[in-house]
Amino acid sequence: MKKQDYREFIEQQEKQMLSPYASLSSQSKGRDRAVIPCPIRTEYMRDRDRIIHSKSFRRLKHKTQVFLLPMGDHYRTRLTHTLEVSQIARTIARGLRLNEDLTEAIALGHDLGHTPFGHMGEAVLDALVPGGFEHNVQSLRVVEKLENSGKGLNLTFEVRDGILNHKISGNPATLEGAVVSLSDRIAYVNHDIDDAIRAGVITKQDIPQKLNDILGNSHGERINTMIVDVLENSLLKPQVCMSEEVGTALNELRNFMFERVYLNPLARTEEAKSKRLLEQLYMHYLEHIDEVPDEFSGNIEEDGKERIVADFIGCMTDRYAVLDYERLFVPSGMMLF
Ligand code: MG
């Protein structure tokens, strides 16, 4: 087979094998800037690769999921969360005969706009920046405007739409986007339970028995129940959903996590300090705008200085923010003896 035929072969396979509700890569609404088609990869495979090779993707490894700057090696970070979402979403997409490559690209890109220190960092910037700050909107801004030295990744419409609309309140244009949105919830509720037990914030016995009866008793059993339920309720339908019983159980488990973990003072011990840290960094860079790196400051005329400072801080990892704060505000002693 000639190299040139390979992408066409996959596009042909998609037409033959995928559900009538799947997004075909050959029918993508395309990119803002036209590119020469790849001889090997489809448009969505190419988007997935562009995301994996981006700097913002690598930074996810030092960004908080729930536990700030975790010292234990086994806690999730934003990167491992992203990989778990991607794996769950691909399993569902394969089962529903949707486009697995598109699903994977959306999943790998969905959290690229997350700030340091998780949702707390997002809330701090949201309160400070005129026009607000939401991580899904910022994920889109990262791939459209900030990545690739300010040129953006030039992704297809379907991937950008799925990234923007991955929150519960979103309304993605493709079923692949809907798969990622639901997989995000399945992933974080379950892995956050696992991490909260690891941290001693809850015990296994704290999970309401009623929910164990419906979903199963372990991390693996719960994820399995949820995925099977999505497949049984969505196969060859123009929607991605759970049964009422399992959907309600997932929501109750999420409420349980809010009550016992996300809003628990033990899991939030460092929050006030991180909030102060980000606020001071924000004020510092507003006053010293010339210290903001070029890749962000190029947008100053179009977006204003508050937004570009938010871009810079939003892109920082937990560890970069702490080191930058130390560099700016903590005196370093000299060893004189
Ligand atoms: Mg997520």
Side-chain angles (χ1 to χ4, degrees), residues 35 41-42 54 91 101-102 131 157 247 313 316 329:
V35 291
R41 299 163 302 163
T42 66
S54 71
T91 303
D101 301 318
L102 171 59
F157 163 81
I313 294 179
M316 291 179 183
F329 300 115

Side-chain angles (χ1 to χ4, degrees), residues 65 78 81-82 85 107 110-111 114 119 135 166 184-185 188:
Q65 171 58 27
R78 198 55 66 180
H81 159 72
T82 294
V85 173
H110 86 283
D111 270 352
H114 249 297
H119 286 284
H135 79 267
H166 78 265
D184 187 24
R185 252 171 299 154
Y188 75 69

Side-chain angles (χ1 to χ4, degrees), residues 193 197 202-212 216-217 222 253 256-257 260:
I193 289 175
I197 293 172
I202 56 170
T203 67
K204 213 173 164 225
Q205 289 68 38
D206 291 332
I207 299 170
Q209 190 53 44
K210 183 180 84 172
L211 300 182
N212 287 336
N217 289 304
R222 280 190 296 271
L253 203 54
F256 163 81
M257 289 299 287
R260 298 293 301 271

Side-chain angles (χ1 to χ4, degrees), residues 99 148 177 189 284:
N99 195 311
N148 198 17
V189 168
H284 172 85

Side-chain angles (χ1 to χ4, degrees), residues 253-267:
L253 203 54
R254 191 167 167 270
N255 294 341
F256 163 81
M257 289 299 287
F258 265 96
E259 219 172 275
R260 298 293 301 271
V261 180
Y262 305 139
L263 304 177
N264 179 322
L266 203 68

